[in-house]
Amino acid sequence: MKSHSLQPKPEFQQLREENFYSFRLYIAGTNFKSILALKTIKHICETYLKDHYDLEVIDVYQQPELTQGEPIVAVPTLIRLLPLPLQRIIGDLSQTERILMALNLSF
């Protein structure tokens, strides 16, 4: 079985020093909290990080193999892969200001 690690995609490795952000969002199907989390994260990325981010969305129902070996204890979970260090937000992802603060995105 293929292992999925908490590393950014290889094509984004060279962009570290250019204020590039890489995120992985784990959701659970199309429930309200998952849809709201996805909408909020997309809004943040498009508003504050336009053209300087990668967002990978993993539905734990559709792709459960991608969670094996990962410390995913609840969904939604957002992981900032770049810039280092890794940063995680677990649970309620509906409050833009809270997410900006948690990810150290001050604008």
Side-chain angles (χ1 to χ4, degrees), residues 65-87:
E65 68 278 3
L66 297 182
T67 63
Q68 291 182 342
E70 302 298 338
I72 304 301
V73 295
V75 289
T77 294
L78 178 68
I79 302 173
R80 183 189 70 197
L81 302 168
L82 288 176
L84 294 175
L86 293 177
Q87 186 74 27

PDB file of all heavy atoms in Angstrom, residues 65-87:
ATOM      1  N   GLU A  65      -7.146   5.464   2.184  1.00  0.00           N
ATOM      2  CA  GLU A  65      -5.758   5.004   2.162  1.00  0.00           C
ATOM      3  C   GLU A  65      -4.769   6.162   2.349  1.00  0.00           C
ATOM      4  O   GLU A  65      -3.640   5.956   2.781  1.00  0.00           O
ATOM      5  CB  GLU A  65      -5.452   4.247   0.860  1.00  0.00           C
ATOM      6  CG  GLU A  65      -5.448   5.099  -0.392  1.00  0.00           C
ATOM      7  CD  GLU A  65      -6.820   5.380  -1.003  1.00  0.00           C
ATOM      8  OE1 GLU A  65      -7.846   4.970  -0.433  1.00  0.00           O
ATOM      9  OE2 GLU A  65      -6.856   6.020  -2.059  1.00  0.00           O
ATOM     10  N   LEU A  66      -5.185   7.363   2.046  1.00  0.00           N
ATOM     11  CA  LEU A  66      -4.297   8.523   2.188  1.00  0.00           C
ATOM     12  C   LEU A  66      -4.173   9.010   3.626  1.00  0.00           C
ATOM     13  O   LEU A  66      -3.370   9.883   3.919  1.00  0.00           O
ATOM     14  CB  LEU A  66      -4.760   9.670   1.291  1.00  0.00           C
ATOM     15  CG  LEU A  66      -4.730   9.400  -0.203  1.00  0.00           C
ATOM     16  CD1 LEU A  66      -5.173  10.623  -0.984  1.00  0.00           C
ATOM     17  CD2 LEU A  66      -3.354   8.945  -0.655  1.00  0.00           C
ATOM     18  N   THR A  67      -4.954   8.424   4.525  1.00  0.00           N
ATOM     19  CA  THR A  67      -4.852   8.793   5.934  1.00  0.00           C
ATOM     20  C   THR A  67      -4.028   7.791   6.730  1.00  0.00           C
ATOM     21  O   THR A  67      -3.671   8.063   7.869  1.00  0.00           O
ATOM     22  CB  THR A  67      -6.239   8.920   6.585  1.00  0.00           C
ATOM     23  OG1 THR A  67      -6.885   7.646   6.552  1.00  0.00           O
ATOM     24  CG2 THR A  67      -7.081   9.962   5.884  1.00  0.00           C
ATOM     25  N   GLN A  68      -3.717   6.640   6.138  1.00  0.00           N
ATOM     26  CA  GLN A  68      -2.945   5.627   6.848  1.00  0.00           C
ATOM     27  C   GLN A  68      -1.552   6.149   7.144  1.00  0.00           C
ATOM     28  O   GLN A  68      -0.876   6.697   6.283  1.00  0.00           O
ATOM     29  CB  GLN A  68      -2.869   4.340   6.044  1.00  0.00           C
ATOM     30  CG  GLN A  68      -4.210   3.657   5.961  1.00  0.00           C
ATOM     31  CD  GLN A  68      -4.143   2.353   5.211  1.00  0.00           C
ATOM     32  OE1 GLN A  68      -3.208   2.085   4.484  1.00  0.00           O
ATOM     33  NE2 GLN A  68      -5.162   1.532   5.394  1.00  0.00           N
ATOM     34  N   GLY A  69      -1.157   6.018   8.395  1.00  0.00           N
ATOM     35  CA  GLY A  69       0.153   6.491   8.811  1.00  0.00           C
ATOM     36  C   GLY A  69       0.170   7.974   9.149  1.00  0.00           C
ATOM     37  O   GLY A  69       1.206   8.510   9.511  1.00  0.00           O
ATOM     38  N   GLU A  70      -0.968   8.629   9.023  1.00  0.00           N
ATOM     39  CA  GLU A  70      -1.051  10.056   9.338  1.00  0.00           C
ATOM     40  C   GLU A  70      -1.773  10.233  10.677  1.00  0.00           C
ATOM     41  O   GLU A  70      -2.704   9.495  10.977  1.00  0.00           O
ATOM     42  CB  GLU A  70      -1.823  10.811   8.244  1.00  0.00           C
ATOM     43  CG  GLU A  70      -1.237  10.694   6.873  1.00  0.00           C
ATOM     44  CD  GLU A  70       0.160  11.271   6.745  1.00  0.00           C
ATOM     45  OE1 GLU A  70       0.548  12.121   7.565  1.00  0.00           O
ATOM     46  OE2 GLU A  70       0.873  10.847   5.835  1.00  0.00           O
ATOM     47  N   PRO A  71      -1.375  11.209  11.438  1.00  0.00           N
ATOM     48  CA  PRO A  71      -2.025  11.439  12.737  1.00  0.00           C
ATOM     49  C   PRO A  71      -3.310  12.262  12.605  1.00  0.00           C
ATOM     50  O   PRO A  71      -3.430  13.340  13.150  1.00  0.00           O
ATOM     51  CB  PRO A  71      -0.947  12.191  13.519  1.00  0.00           C
ATOM     52  CG  PRO A  71      -0.181  12.929  12.471  1.00  0.00           C
ATOM     53  CD  PRO A  71      -0.209  12.043  11.254  1.00  0.00           C
ATOM     54  N   ILE A  72      -4.279  11.744  11.854  1.00  0.00           N
ATOM     55  CA  ILE A  72      -5.554  12.430  11.679  1.00  0.00           C
ATOM     56  C   ILE A  72      -6.520  11.862  12.710  1.00  0.00           C
ATOM     57  O   ILE A  72      -6.929  10.712  12.626  1.00  0.00           O
ATOM     58  CB  ILE A  72      -6.110  12.234  10.246  1.00  0.00           C
ATOM     59  CG1 ILE A  72      -5.110  12.694   9.200  1.00  0.00           C
ATOM     60  CG2 ILE A  72      -7.448  12.957  10.085  1.00  0.00           C
ATOM     61  CD1 ILE A  72      -4.697  14.141   9.309  1.00  0.00           C
ATOM     62  N   VAL A  73      -6.858  12.681  13.715  1.00  0.00           N
ATOM     63  CA  VAL A  73      -7.721  12.207  14.789  1.00  0.00           C
ATOM     64  C   VAL A  73      -9.147  12.706  14.651  1.00  0.00           C
ATOM     65  O   VAL A  73     -10.053  12.171  15.269  1.00  0.00           O
ATOM     66  CB  VAL A  73      -7.160  12.607  16.172  1.00  0.00           C
ATOM     67  CG1 VAL A  73      -5.827  11.922  16.431  1.00  0.00           C
ATOM     68  CG2 VAL A  73      -7.007  14.108  16.290  1.00  0.00           C
ATOM     69  N   ALA A  74      -9.343  13.757  13.850  1.00  0.00           N
ATOM     70  CA  ALA A  74     -10.666  14.318  13.637  1.00  0.00           C
ATOM     71  C   ALA A  74     -10.655  15.079  12.315  1.00  0.00           C
ATOM     72  O   ALA A  74      -9.603  15.461  11.820  1.00  0.00           O
ATOM     73  CB  ALA A  74     -11.044  15.259  14.774  1.00  0.00           C
ATOM     74  N   VAL A  75     -11.835  15.267  11.769  1.00  0.00           N
ATOM     75  CA  VAL A  75     -11.958  16.068  10.556  1.00  0.00           C
ATOM     76  C   VAL A  75     -13.026  17.123  10.793  1.00  0.00           C
ATOM     77  O   VAL A  75     -13.949  16.886  11.570  1.00  0.00           O
ATOM     78  CB  VAL A  75     -12.289  15.207   9.318  1.00  0.00           C
ATOM     79  CG1 VAL A  75     -11.117  14.366   8.909  1.00  0.00           C
ATOM     80  CG2 VAL A  75     -13.515  14.352   9.533  1.00  0.00           C
ATOM     81  N   PRO A  76     -12.907  18.266  10.186  1.00  0.00           N
ATOM     82  CA  PRO A  76     -11.841  18.638   9.273  1.00  0.00           C
ATOM     83  C   PRO A  76     -10.524  18.917   9.996  1.00  0.00           C
ATOM     84  O   PRO A  76     -10.515  19.343  11.147  1.00  0.00           O
ATOM     85  CB  PRO A  76     -12.363  19.905   8.596  1.00  0.00           C
ATOM     86  CG  PRO A  76     -13.392  20.454   9.526  1.00  0.00           C
ATOM     87  CD  PRO A  76     -13.942  19.310  10.294  1.00  0.00           C
ATOM     88  N   THR A  77      -9.430  18.656   9.286  1.00  0.00           N
ATOM     89  CA  THR A  77      -8.087  18.973   9.754  1.00  0.00           C
ATOM     90  C   THR A  77      -7.359  19.678   8.628  1.00  0.00           C
ATOM     91  O   THR A  77      -7.329  19.180   7.506  1.00  0.00           O
ATOM     92  CB  THR A  77      -7.307  17.694  10.146  1.00  0.00           C
ATOM     93  OG1 THR A  77      -7.925  17.100  11.282  1.00  0.00           O
ATOM     94  CG2 THR A  77      -5.858  18.015  10.469  1.00  0.00           C
ATOM     95  N   LEU A  78      -6.774  20.810   8.941  1.00  0.00           N
ATOM     96  CA  LEU A  78      -5.973  21.552   7.982  1.00  0.00           C
ATOM     97  C   LEU A  78      -4.518  21.489   8.437  1.00  0.00           C
ATOM     98  O   LEU A  78      -4.212  21.749   9.597  1.00  0.00           O
ATOM     99  CB  LEU A  78      -6.408  23.020   7.910  1.00  0.00           C
ATOM    100  CG  LEU A  78      -5.592  23.906   6.967  1.00  0.00           C
ATOM    101  CD1 LEU A  78      -5.824  23.503   5.507  1.00  0.00           C
ATOM    102  CD2 LEU A  78      -5.927  25.375   7.179  1.00  0.00           C
ATOM    103  N   ILE A  79      -3.637  21.128   7.507  1.00  0.00           N
ATOM    104  CA  ILE A  79      -2.209  21.079   7.800  1.00  0.00           C
ATOM    105  C   ILE A  79      -1.495  22.034   6.852  1.00  0.00           C
ATOM    106  O   ILE A  79      -1.664  21.948   5.634  1.00  0.00           O
ATOM    107  CB  ILE A  79      -1.642  19.659   7.629  1.00  0.00           C
ATOM    108  CG1 ILE A  79      -2.386  18.685   8.542  1.00  0.00           C
ATOM    109  CG2 ILE A  79      -0.140  19.647   7.919  1.00  0.00           C
ATOM    110  CD1 ILE A  79      -2.026  17.235   8.320  1.00  0.00           C
ATOM    111  N   ARG A  80      -0.720  22.940   7.430  1.00  0.00           N
ATOM    112  CA  ARG A  80       0.142  23.791   6.612  1.00  0.00           C
ATOM    113  C   ARG A  80       1.466  23.069   6.489  1.00  0.00           C
ATOM    114  O   ARG A  80       2.161  22.847   7.463  1.00  0.00           O
ATOM    115  CB  ARG A  80       0.357  25.158   7.254  1.00  0.00           C
ATOM    116  CG  ARG A  80       1.197  26.082   6.349  1.00  0.00           C
ATOM    117  CD  ARG A  80       1.601  27.352   7.031  1.00  0.00           C
ATOM    118  NE  ARG A  80       2.588  27.034   8.057  1.00  0.00           N
ATOM    119  CZ  ARG A  80       2.925  27.843   9.048  1.00  0.00           C
ATOM    120  NH1 ARG A  80       2.348  29.009   9.180  1.00  0.00           N
ATOM    121  NH2 ARG A  80       3.824  27.480   9.934  1.00  0.00           N
ATOM    122  N   LEU A  81       1.805  22.666   5.257  1.00  0.00           N
ATOM    123  CA  LEU A  81       3.046  21.944   4.991  1.00  0.00           C
ATOM    124  C   LEU A  81       4.213  22.893   4.747  1.00  0.00           C
ATOM    125  O   LEU A  81       5.345  22.598   5.105  1.00  0.00           O
ATOM    126  CB  LEU A  81       2.859  21.019   3.787  1.00  0.00           C
ATOM    127  CG  LEU A  81       1.737  19.994   3.923  1.00  0.00           C
ATOM    128  CD1 LEU A  81       1.460  19.343   2.584  1.00  0.00           C
ATOM    129  CD2 LEU A  81       2.089  18.960   4.967  1.00  0.00           C
ATOM    130  N   LEU A  82       3.926  23.984   4.075  1.00  0.00           N
ATOM    131  CA  LEU A  82       4.921  25.024   3.808  1.00  0.00           C
ATOM    132  C   LEU A  82       4.300  26.370   4.097  1.00  0.00           C
ATOM    133  O   LEU A  82       3.113  26.559   3.831  1.00  0.00           O
ATOM    134  CB  LEU A  82       5.373  24.999   2.334  1.00  0.00           C
ATOM    135  CG  LEU A  82       6.262  23.871   1.878  1.00  0.00           C
ATOM    136  CD1 LEU A  82       6.505  23.977   0.378  1.00  0.00           C
ATOM    137  CD2 LEU A  82       7.576  23.858   2.621  1.00  0.00           C
ATOM    138  N   PRO A  83       5.042  27.306   4.605  1.00  0.00           N
ATOM    139  CA  PRO A  83       6.426  27.184   5.053  1.00  0.00           C
ATOM    140  C   PRO A  83       6.495  26.401   6.363  1.00  0.00           C
ATOM    141  O   PRO A  83       5.525  26.334   7.106  1.00  0.00           O
ATOM    142  CB  PRO A  83       6.873  28.627   5.239  1.00  0.00           C
ATOM    143  CG  PRO A  83       5.613  29.393   5.494  1.00  0.00           C
ATOM    144  CD  PRO A  83       4.536  28.662   4.740  1.00  0.00           C
ATOM    145  N   LEU A  84       7.637  25.807   6.576  1.00  0.00           N
ATOM    146  CA  LEU A  84       7.870  25.058   7.803  1.00  0.00           C
ATOM    147  C   LEU A  84       7.901  26.011   8.988  1.00  0.00           C
ATOM    148  O   LEU A  84       8.218  27.176   8.822  1.00  0.00           O
ATOM    149  CB  LEU A  84       9.183  24.287   7.689  1.00  0.00           C
ATOM    150  CG  LEU A  84       9.194  23.183   6.628  1.00  0.00           C
ATOM    151  CD1 LEU A  84      10.581  22.584   6.525  1.00  0.00           C
ATOM    152  CD2 LEU A  84       8.169  22.120   6.932  1.00  0.00           C
ATOM    153  N   PRO A  85       7.595  25.570  10.177  1.00  0.00           N
ATOM    154  CA  PRO A  85       7.244  24.216  10.586  1.00  0.00           C
ATOM    155  C   PRO A  85       5.790  23.888  10.246  1.00  0.00           C
ATOM    156  O   PRO A  85       4.981  24.779   9.987  1.00  0.00           O
ATOM    157  CB  PRO A  85       7.437  24.253  12.101  1.00  0.00           C
ATOM    158  CG  PRO A  85       7.123  25.662  12.478  1.00  0.00           C
ATOM    159  CD  PRO A  85       7.622  26.496  11.322  1.00  0.00           C
ATOM    160  N   LEU A  86       5.491  22.584  10.260  1.00  0.00           N
ATOM    161  CA  LEU A  86       4.120  22.137  10.040  1.00  0.00           C
ATOM    162  C   LEU A  86       3.207  22.783  11.071  1.00  0.00           C
ATOM    163  O   LEU A  86       3.601  22.956  12.224  1.00  0.00           O
ATOM    164  CB  LEU A  86       4.007  20.620  10.183  1.00  0.00           C
ATOM    165  CG  LEU A  86       4.701  19.760   9.148  1.00  0.00           C
ATOM    166  CD1 LEU A  86       4.527  18.293   9.504  1.00  0.00           C
ATOM    167  CD2 LEU A  86       4.180  20.028   7.768  1.00  0.00           C
ATOM    168  N   GLN A  87       2.011  23.117  10.645  1.00  0.00           N
ATOM    169  CA  GLN A  87       1.026  23.702  11.542  1.00  0.00           C
ATOM    170  C   GLN A  87      -0.295  22.990  11.301  1.00  0.00           C
ATOM    171  O   GLN A  87      -0.672  22.757  10.156  1.00  0.00           O
ATOM    172  CB  GLN A  87       0.892  25.195  11.234  1.00  0.00           C
ATOM    173  CG  GLN A  87       0.023  25.957  12.169  1.00  0.00           C
ATOM    174  CD  GLN A  87       0.685  26.198  13.509  1.00  0.00           C
ATOM    175  OE1 GLN A  87       1.897  26.256  13.599  1.00  0.00           O
ATOM    176  NE2 GLN A  87      -0.114  26.327  14.530  1.00  0.00           N
TER     177      GLN A  87
END
